[in-house]
Amino acid sequence: MPTYAGTPSIHSIYIAIIYMLLKDFPMIKADVSGAFLQAEDVCDEKIRIGVPGIRILPDFPDKKPKELSKFTDEQYEIVKKKRKELKEGEIYITDKALYGGPGSVKMFSTKAKTELKELGFEEIDESIHLRRETNTNEVNAVIYHPVDDFEGGAMDIEEIFSKYGHRLFLGSLVQVRGHRADETGKEDVPVLGVFPQLAVR
């Protein structure tokens, strides 16, 4: 399997940012949590992991500990079930891309692009994606991603990332450009800069 995974050129990123600023799009950046682990390992040569013979893996209590509050109850149940299936001394084949594994970046990049395509985006340059109006063909959303860091702009960018977050688990969203209300209550005063972190889930 090819292992090359490109990243957007700095010139393409500048053009994308300039376009978003000209269109006065709110802009958001997001990171993907455990990015590579969300991609299926499709390499012919699989990575094998041996579980030590001595008992070092923890058992998970029935009730989710508060230290693991960032995980949903459903995610905790999955991990707890998987732990019970593991046996000391056994060797297991991974089914997810691992950091440092052959082709992991390529596998994640392919998944990320596929999910964007299903949301109506087209890739016009390496890792630069556009969504167009159906009738006018005008670009109404831009997203680019150097591997697992995403940034984009659109009038409905929060909704876009919300939908994307159901396909790839996003750790956080940070608004980097938006609007705030003026003294009359109209939201027409542009704001540029890093905003407080917005919770995704």
Side-chain angles (χ1 to χ4, degrees):
M1 172 184 174
T3 58
Y4 172 78
T7 57
S9 72
I10 190 65
H11 305 292
S12 296
I13 291 176
Y14 285 160
I15 292 172
I17 292 174
I18 290 171
Y19 181 83
M20 289 186 282
L21 291 173
L22 289 173
K23 299 296 290 185
D24 202 25
F25 286 161
M27 295 164 61
I28 285 180
K29 63 186 300 185
D31 68 271
V32 181
S33 295
F36 295 173
L37 295 176
Q38 298 190 52
E40 300 293 329
D41 186 346
V42 296
C43 281
D44 295 331
E45 296 184 4
K46 302 292 186 181
I47 296 177
R48 292 166 173 79
I49 298 177
V51 179
I54 57 175
R55 187 175 179 80
I56 62 172
L57 296 177
D59 289 320
F60 289 87
D62 292 333
K63 186 177 180 180
K64 182 177 66 177
K66 62 180 181 179
E67 292 83 2
L68 301 178
S69 59
K70 71 175 184 177
F71 298 100
T72 65
D73 292 339
E74 181 182 2
Q75 290 171 332
Y76 180 73
E77 289 301 320
I78 292 174
V79 172
K80 189 170 65 174
K81 179 182 177 182
K82 289 292 184 182
R83 167 62 188 96
K84 291 180 179 179
E85 294 174 356
L86 292 177
K87 294 180 173 58
E88 283 78 7
E90 296 289 331
I91 296 177
Y92 295 88
I93 297 176
T94 61
D95 59 359
K96 299 291 185 181
L98 297 181
Y99 285 85
S104 293
V105 177
K106 177 68 173 180
M107 286 183 276
F108 170 77
S109 180
T110 299
K111 180 176 178 61
K113 293 177 181 182
T114 299
E115 300 296 351
L116 281 171
K117 185 176 181 179
E118 292 185 1
L119 289 178
F121 284 81
E122 61 174 308
E123 187 178 22
I124 61 157
D125 194 13
E126 181 60 56
S127 302
I128 304 285
H129 305 264
L130 307 179
R131 187 190 65 186
R132 300 178 185 273
E133 294 282 358
T134 304
N135 298 327
T136 64
N137 208 36
E138 182 180 1
V139 174
N140 61 15
V142 180
I143 290 179
Y144 61 87
H145 59 101
V147 190
D148 58 349
D149 293 313
F150 289 72
E151 186 159 340
M155 299 311 295
D156 60 338
I157 191 62
E158 290 189 35
E159 180 182 351
I160 291 172
F161 273 119
S162 177
K163 291 179 180 178
Y164 199 60
H166 290 291
R167 296 168 177 268
L168 286 175
F169 183 75
L170 302 178
S172 64
L173 293 180
V174 177
Q175 189 175 11
V176 294
R177 185 176 191 273
H179 292 78
R180 63 176 173 81
D182 63 10
E183 62 275 5
T184 66
K186 295 181 180 180
E187 294 188 357
D188 59 359
V189 181
V191 178
L192 185 60
V194 177
F195 276 45
Q197 192 177 75
L198 304 175
V200 180
R201 297 184 181 182

